[in-house]
């Protein structure tokens, strides 16, 4: 089985396609903690807290990192130390990469290495990493000309994928359909003013 999957959040059925891949990566009997890394003070780093807030709105529990309560470089170690060892940790973080991967969600087995895109060495965390490519790496540095609509779409697809997968694994008869506009407009206000 492949250790990494990439899908463009702007493609039709992105949520459903990622759901099928994610089902194969989640352990059946372990409780999950969602570690949503980033800050709500910088648009280029809001992906994690936005995913955390959307997951919370959808009834998920064990969420660390939301808008207004972010998990970032200064408090990551403290939050990570409080996660029970028996939990399976899914870490969410924004990332930078090649231009052709802009707008793509990456699911990868293994730890998340937050801060690498900005040359920070932070605590590696998680059992599974879900990252979203929001910035392009150029020879002169990061191009942080970020599209708020793309970040919103990436976060909603990610949250929808997680909830749909978990509910399908729990044998919920009819998982909800997750659409781009189903989430609270207050989060859209954060991005679009």
């Amino acid at each position: 089985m492949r250790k990494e999957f990439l899908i463009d959040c702007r493609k039709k059925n992105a949520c459903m396609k990622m759901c099928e891949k994610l089902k194969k990566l989640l352990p059946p009997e372990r409780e999950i903690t969602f570690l949503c890394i980033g800050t709500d003070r910088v648009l280029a780093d809001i992906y994690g807290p936005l995913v955390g807030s959307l997951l919370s709105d959808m009834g998920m529990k064990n969420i660390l990192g939301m808008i207004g309560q972010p998990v970032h470089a200064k408090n990551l170690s403290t939050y990570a130390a409080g996660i029970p060892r028996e939990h399976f940790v899914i870490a969410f973080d924004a990332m930078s990469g090649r231009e052709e991967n802009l707008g793509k969600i990456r699911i990868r087995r293994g730890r998340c290495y937050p801060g690498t895109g900005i040359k920070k060495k932070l605590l590696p965390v998680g059992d599974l990493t879900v990252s979203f490519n929001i910035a392009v790496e150029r020879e002169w540095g990061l191009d942080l000309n970020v599209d708020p609509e793309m970040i919103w779409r990436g976060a909603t697809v990610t949250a929808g994928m997680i909830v749909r997968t978990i509910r399908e694994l729990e044998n919920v008869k009819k998982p909800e359909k997750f659409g781009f506009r189903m989430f609270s407009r207050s989060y859209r206000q954060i991005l679009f003013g």
Side-chain angles (χ1 to χ4, degrees):
M1 182 186 304
R2 286 174 55 192
K3 290 185 176 182
E4 180 175 296
F5 302 98
L6 273 171
I7 193 159
D8 192 321
C9 74
R10 297 162 289 197
K11 298 278 184 191
K12 190 174 182 180
N13 297 325
C15 180
M16 212 175 330
K17 289 175 185 172
M18 290 309 272
C19 179
E20 292 306 312
K21 310 242 185 247
L22 187 61
K23 277 192 231 177
K24 298 171 185 166
L25 299 174
L26 294 180
E29 297 299 322
R30 286 176 69 188
E31 193 161 351
I32 298 172
T33 290
F34 304 102
L35 183 58
C36 306
I37 304 163
T39 179
D40 50 11
R41 295 180 182 250
V42 178
L43 183 60
D45 204 24
I46 199 170
Y47 168 74
L50 187 54
V51 169
S53 294
L54 294 171
L55 289 172
S56 177
D57 280 359
M58 298 170 76
M60 295 287 103
K61 58 181 183 168
N62 300 330
I63 301 164
L64 301 174
M66 291 183 263
I67 291 174
Q69 301 170 348
V71 172
H72 47 68
K74 292 181 180 176
N75 63 14
L76 176 62
S77 298
T78 304
Y79 277 105
I83 300 171
R85 289 181 184 222
E86 66 275 7
H87 282 209
F88 184 83
V89 179
I90 302 176
F92 301 87
D93 197 13
M95 65 174 279
S96 59
R98 296 188 310 244
E99 191 162 6
E100 64 267 21
N101 290 332
L102 189 65
K104 290 187 179 175
I105 299 168
R106 179 178 75 170
I107 298 178
R108 180 178 59 79
R109 284 188 206 178
R111 295 194 176 282
C112 174
Y113 295 88
T116 351
I118 54 170
K119 311 288 188 255
K120 278 191 179 180
K121 201 167 190 171
L122 302 175
L123 176 73
V125 290
D127 299 299
L128 184 74
T129 300
V130 178
S131 52
F132 183 54
N133 192 341
I134 55 92
V136 178
E137 292 176 2
R138 308 266 188 216
E139 49 284 347
W140 46 265
L142 286 181
D143 180 355
L144 291 174
N145 188 13
V146 180
D147 176 9
E149 186 76 20
M150 185 185 68
I151 293 173
W152 173 252
R153 183 172 286 277
T156 58
V157 167
T158 300
M161 163 194 70
I162 293 293
V163 173
R164 182 183 183 108
T165 301
I166 289 171
R167 291 191 178 154
E168 283 184 11
L169 288 172
E170 291 172 348
N171 295 318
V172 171
K173 291 182 182 178
K174 286 189 175 181
E176 295 96 13
K177 291 183 180 180
F178 297 102
F180 179 60
R181 304 198 190 293
M182 71 167 284
F183 296 104
S184 168
R185 294 206 48 82
S186 63
Y187 298 125
R188 286 183 72 90
Q189 294 296 327
I190 289 167
L191 292 172
F192 300 109

